[in-house]
Amino acid sequence: MNRRNFNKSLGLGALASLVPGAHGQHTNVSHTPDAKSSAITAQPEVTAQIPTRSVDWPSRTFRRLLVDTHIPDWDDLFIDFDAAAYVKTVASAGFQSLMQYANSHAGLSLWRTKLGQMHRGMRGRDYFGEVMEQCGVHGMHRVAYYSLVYDDWAYQTYPDWRILPEGGYDPVLYSRMGTVCINSPYREHAMACLRELVSNYEFGGIFLDMTFWPTVCYCPHCAARFWKEEQAEPPRIVDWTDPKWRAFQKARERWMREFALESTQTVKQARPIQVFHQFSTVFEPWQFGVSLEQNEASDFCSGDFYGGANEFSLVCKAYDGLTRMQPFEFMTSRTIGLGDFETTKPFEQLLLESSIPAAHSGACLFIDAVKPNGRLNPHAYELLSQINVQHDPYEQFLGGVLQADVAVYFDKASMYDPSINKVPAAIAAPIHTQGGPHLGLPAPAVAEMKLPHREALIGAARILREAHIPYGVVTNVTLDQLSRYRAVVVSNVLEMTPEQAELFRAFVRDGGILYASGPSSLQIVGQPSPRFLLEDVLGVRYVGRLGTSMTYLAPSNAEVAKLIWPQEHASFPGEMVKAESQAGADVLATVTLPWVAPDEGYAIGAHFAQIWSNPPALVAGKDPAIVVNSFGKGKAIWVAAPIEKLTGTAAGTLVRHLLRTALSGPYKFEVDAKPAVEVTVYRQEKNRRLLVGLLNMQEEVPAAAVDATVRVQIPDGGKARRVLRLPDQKEMAFTAVGPYVQFHVPAFDVFAMALVEYGKQ
């Protein structure tokens, strides 16, 4: 799957300030409430006037820009570049930093280099240096962009450096992107170029793009390194039950991590600046060879995403927990995708997508693209200025620590499809390229990959968000953060290590709530008979699998039956885990198979129950489907299938009920609002205040205005002093409701913010 198209679950909307009518539109920024709420619109050919102020890099730099410059030099391309006009256009639109290309996927240098190939369109000029100089003129923070691995010039010039896919070179030769191997002499070339660039120019940070494997490489350099380390040839069959394949996959991850760390160290030895790598691969599958440990090479998380608001919200929470420095950097494009040069996203969509990182106190970087002649589209920056003017007055308030009760657990080791097994790497891992027809060549056979863990993870996050249950994200490298939460959702995790299992066991023993679905906590690596590592915690023992393409959950508990009414069963389009419940565990539902197996029945000899569907058997099965078990001071909930990935009402209702029943209040916050409203709360302990953000995540744009009643728990038993609407800091009415301070947010279009100031009781 192309990393730029992950999870196309769009959720779109519009932006507004906290109070009806306080939208600050266009050139006249107003924060005075009007009588009625009005939708925000962009005014054509108007550049918003945004106050110029100095901000620290990177801690207070929230409005950032990157202009894609993947321009070759076979023709008179890029010859009209005017650095002064270019930077002035960007600065006038209200951006606080500019990420300038030093090279690109074309592999051509835009700085004066003695090592690589300078772009012929430069004609003796120093494009990169000119931009750096002009950024200083306009008071913008300077950031460099450098493309690693994806390098057409190196691919053409040094065939020995090329990545060699298992299926041969053809798929790459007929694409636009040549990729080179980090185990080849390219590595020394890249380090030398980075050293030269960073030593010769002054800038505050550098983004190292594409530090991942576009496919599984079988070049002589990789083969020699694997032989040296493992005394074996790299396996060409993807087999998750084969220790040799797993060793090769671990080697790929380790090699890329070491390359990323070496790149960072090379830069910092030349100049002590911020270094950050492409990390949109955080939720991508195994073939990219990027472990979460690779994040150690970045001062802060950064990456580009295109899947819409629901994806963006989950990514921001993952970045918030993973980043080593705040704010993290969230990137997305001005256009509907990087493959479309012109089609700009609707104004309201841009507002929402840039507001999501703001609600998570993150930085938003917009990606634009330069014309082949080196010019920018000035109208695009008129539009982007009207986005930036909305965010400017809020940025002084951003920051803090995310407040949440529930953690969604993300396991990078589970990012594979167990159904694609014992097949050649060329089929299991399609090459990550784009652009360029195959000139009549037959398309290579590839497997349609599904990622069961990611599907369930996304579903769990959606359910928690729509239920207004405060949540964050922990990962297999941040399990030490579990103590920040009172519950954790472990959705369809394919495998687990004993060390990880012990952390979850201790969490429940000490009073935590664990929700686990499907095979979560299964130990399969090197085990002849898979078993649940947490069977004592979950109250079930793993037996095997049950059913095929359709199974049913049959309530054995009256309350569960009421929850799915008027249904008698909850459907699941797939198999379930077959397990045995342990003594003392409470079974709330069982697994029921279809009356006739879905793959049976023919037009002749009618052995089926319904032509179009597969209704459940009349007698409910006995295998447990929902089990609740007490363990130590805590409690575990186990569900035989990842029902949280389903969008149906019954599944979401069940998951919410199971969590809320086990996890008693008070929560960090409560919200009375439509499911489309997402709320984030950040604690700013030094200032003794809570930053409350609200997002209208409706899918249609422009979105209908929504309101909300918010109840926020004051930390450490403190007492609320004031509630201020933002950005004008006007006091709002509030009341004490139990352990909460409650206030009402009037109708807003997309984005609202408030501050809750508190003191000691």
Side-chain angles (χ1 to χ4, degrees), residues 13-15 23-28 38-48 334 344-351 379-390 702 749:
L15 172 73
H23 301 311
Q25 298 181 55
H26 320 316
T27 57
N28 297 317
S38 59
I40 300 175
T41 58
Q43 184 170 327
E45 301 183 35
V46 172
T47 298
R334 168 183 66 85
T344 302
K345 293 173 181 174
F347 182 74
E348 295 86 354
Q349 181 179 345
L350 288 169
L351 283 170
H379 303 301
Y381 291 85
E382 293 166 359
L383 176 70
L384 292 174
S385 76
Q386 296 179 50
I387 303 291
N388 287 334
V389 76
Q390 304 293 331
D749 292 327

Side-chain angles (χ1 to χ4, degrees), residues 207-492:
F207 176 62
L208 302 179
D209 200 3
M210 314 306 271
T211 37
F212 58 83
W213 294 99
T215 189
V216 184
C217 182
Y218 291 92
C219 76
H221 307 288
C222 286
R225 185 171 183 181
F226 191 66
W227 181 270
K228 181 179 180 180
E229 295 176 355
E230 300 289 338
Q231 291 73 54
E233 293 288 337
R236 293 176 176 267
I237 301 298
V238 176
D239 183 354
W240 297 103
T241 65
D242 180 8
K244 185 184 296 184
W245 167 255
R246 284 184 172 267
F248 183 43
Q249 173 63 12
K250 286 296 182 183
R252 296 176 67 242
E253 293 177 358
R254 183 178 70 256
W255 297 342
M256 189 56 68
R257 182 173 71 252
E258 290 173 355
F259 175 73
L261 286 167
E262 183 180 348
S263 302
T264 296
Q265 291 163 2
T266 297
V267 169
K268 287 184 176 290
Q269 286 169 1
R271 197 182 299 274
I273 61 176
Q274 273 73 49
V275 183
F276 45 110
H277 291 254
Q278 176 63 262
F279 204 45
S280 63
T281 49
V282 60
F283 287 121
E284 290 299 339
W286 63 269
Q287 61 258 49
F288 288 81
V290 177
S291 63
L292 294 183
E293 288 84 353
Q294 187 169 313
N295 186 48
E296 297 170 6
S298 295
D299 286 307
F300 53 82
C301 287
S302 177
D304 52 326
F305 296 87
Y306 308 89
N310 291 317
E311 174 201 294
F312 296 176
S313 174
L314 176 61
V315 167
C316 285
K317 291 179 179 63
Y319 272 14
D320 185 84
L322 284 164
T323 191
R324 299 170 61 229
M325 177 188 292
Q326 295 286 4
F328 60 82
E329 180 177 87
F330 179 89
M331 303 178 176
T332 194
S333 56
R334 168 183 66 85
T335 59
I336 59 174
L338 296 187
D340 189 320
F341 188 85
E342 284 288 354
T343 307
T344 302
K345 293 173 181 174
F347 182 74
E348 295 86 354
Q349 181 179 345
L350 288 169
L351 283 170
L352 174 61
E353 292 184 353
S354 57
S355 297
I356 293 171
H360 294 84
S361 288
C364 178
L365 182 145
F366 275 122
I367 301 175
D368 192 26
V370 72
K371 296 178 182 179
N373 64 359
R375 299 285 187 177
L376 296 174
N377 172 6
H379 303 301
Y381 291 85
E382 293 166 359
L383 176 70
L384 292 174
S385 76
Q386 296 179 50
I387 303 291
N388 287 334
V389 76
Q390 304 293 331
H391 294 296
D392 174 69
Y394 293 93
E395 290 167 356
Q396 61 181 306
F397 304 105
L398 302 185
V401 177
L402 179 67
Q403 302 296 284
D405 295 283
V406 180
V408 174
Y409 175 61
F410 170 59
D411 178 56
K412 187 69 171 177
S414 293
M415 293 297 284
Y416 65 93
D417 186 343
S419 69
I420 302 176
N421 205 38
K422 299 184 179 180
V423 298
I427 295 176
I431 300 170
H432 179 267
T433 61
Q434 68 182 54
H438 284 267
L439 302 183
L441 293 176
V446 296
E448 183 179 354
M449 180 181 295
K450 296 181 179 179
L451 298 173
H453 172 52
R454 189 173 74 182
E455 291 176 357
L457 171 79
I458 293 168
R462 184 194 67 252
I463 288 172
L464 292 169
R465 177 176 62 79
E466 292 179 349
H468 305 127
I469 297 175
Y471 85 95
V473 176
V474 296
T475 71
N476 49 285
V477 299
T478 57
L479 276 171
D480 59 322
Q481 297 177 9
L482 268 180
S483 59
R484 301 180 185 178
Y485 303 91
R486 298 193 296 131
V488 60
V489 176
V490 183
S491 292
N492 214 27

Side-chain angles (χ1 to χ4, degrees), residues 15-70:
L15 172 73
S17 60
L18 178 63
V19 185
H23 301 311
Q25 298 181 55
H26 320 316
T27 57
N28 297 317
V29 181
S30 170
H31 304 299
T32 303
D34 298 330
K36 297 181 180 180
S37 175
S38 59
I40 300 175
T41 58
Q43 184 170 327
E45 301 183 35
V46 172
T47 298
Q49 303 303 305
I50 304 173
T52 301
R53 60 176 64 89
S54 176
V55 294
D56 292 336
W57 166 264
S59 62
R60 305 306 299 177
T61 304
F62 293 104
R63 281 173 270 133
R64 308 179 184 183
L65 182 78
L66 165 66
V67 181
D68 268 2
T69 314
H70 300 290

